[in-house]
């Protein structure tokens, strides 16, 4: 009935030295897996004339960031896939939407904070605050529980006519 594509991995490096193996790995996990699970489950959703597909697209589906070529490309691709599936399945009672979290305390972000802390003398709190000041006007991390609430809403009856939406949940990052 409900599919949430939430897988994501990342590797950071300049484009000219980005390892091809990492490029393929990130696209496989962040984009191809969502395609494959959607392709596998969509026929059953269509047959029952109801289904919800929600894709975790990331703020990087809407904007780029240096050193994140594969991640940004995969997440832009996931936003495009979301729209295609929404259009193809709309008449069958199936919705497909994406949401784009900004900075959220996850293992991917914790790695970036640790790297930044190294540059700032080892202070992880200062690194986290610096990261927020750089991109997220709310100056607060997106809470994982709040993202769960967004998924629940997109799967609820109230969202029956919401499809093909790419929803920023980014503390104002993409409003700039």
């Amino acid at each position: 009935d409900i599919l949430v594509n939430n897988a994501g991995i990342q590797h950071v490096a300049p484009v000219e030295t980005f390892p091809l193996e990492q490029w393929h790995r990130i696209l496989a996990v962040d984009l191809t897996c969502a395609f494959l699970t959607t392709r596998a489950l969509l026929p059953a959703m269509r047959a029952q004339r109801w289904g919800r597909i929600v894709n975790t697209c990331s703020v990087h589906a809407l904007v780029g960031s240096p050193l994140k070529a594969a991640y940004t490309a995969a997440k832009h691709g996931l936003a495009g896939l979301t729209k295609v599936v929404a259009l193809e399945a709309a008449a069958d009672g199936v919705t497909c939407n994406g949401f784009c979290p900004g900075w959220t305390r996850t293992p991917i972000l914790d790695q970036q904070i640790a790297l930044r802390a190294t540059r700032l003398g080892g202070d992880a709190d200062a690194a986290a605050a610096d990261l927020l000041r750089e991109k997220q006007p709310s100056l607060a991390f997106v809470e994982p529980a709040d993202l769960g609430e967004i998924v629940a809403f997109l799967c609820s009856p109230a969202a029956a006519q919401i499809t093909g939406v790419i929803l920023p949940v980014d503390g104002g990052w993409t409003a700039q």
Side-chain angles (χ1 to χ4, degrees):
D1 295 338
I2 295 171
L3 168 62
V4 179
N5 287 305
N6 190 47
I9 59 172
Q10 189 177 110
H11 177 83
V12 294
V15 169
E16 67 271 14
T17 60
F18 204 97
L20 187 57
E21 176 183 293
Q22 288 292 344
W23 174 271
H24 289 303
R25 184 172 169 255
I26 291 166
L27 266 72
V29 171
D30 294 10
L31 179 57
T32 303
C33 284
F35 166 74
L36 293 172
T37 55
T38 299
R39 186 176 75 168
L41 297 177
L42 188 55
M45 291 176 176
R46 285 180 190 261
Q48 69 187 12
R49 307 228 15 101
W50 194 94
R52 299 292 180 260
I53 301 168
V54 181
N55 295 321
T56 305
C57 293
S58 169
V59 71
H60 288 96
L62 303 171
V63 298
S65 287
L67 309 178
K68 297 180 181 179
Y71 186 79
T72 300
K75 295 302 184 173
H76 271 74
L78 186 56
L81 176 65
T82 299
K83 293 176 181 186
V84 168
V85 172
L87 292 171
E88 290 184 8
D92 296 319
V94 178
T95 66
C96 185
N97 294 291
F99 66 101
C100 302
W103 294 135
T104 307
R105 289 306 290 259
T106 63
I108 286 177
L109 187 63
D110 287 341
Q111 292 172 1
Q112 292 176 51
I113 291 171
L115 287 172
R116 192 172 289 235
T118 301
R119 294 194 310 265
L120 297 174
D123 187 342
D125 290 335
D130 188 55
L131 191 71
L132 287 167
R133 274 192 306 278
E134 181 181 296
K135 305 257 183 166
Q136 203 149 298
S138 68
L139 301 178
F141 290 105
V142 176
E143 294 295 326
D146 294 339
L147 298 175
E149 293 292 328
I150 288 165
V151 171
F153 168 72
L154 290 172
C155 295
S156 75
Q161 290 301 310
I162 299 174
T163 194
V165 167
I166 307 299
L167 178 65
V169 186
D170 60 9
W173 183 336
T174 56
Q176 301 178 72

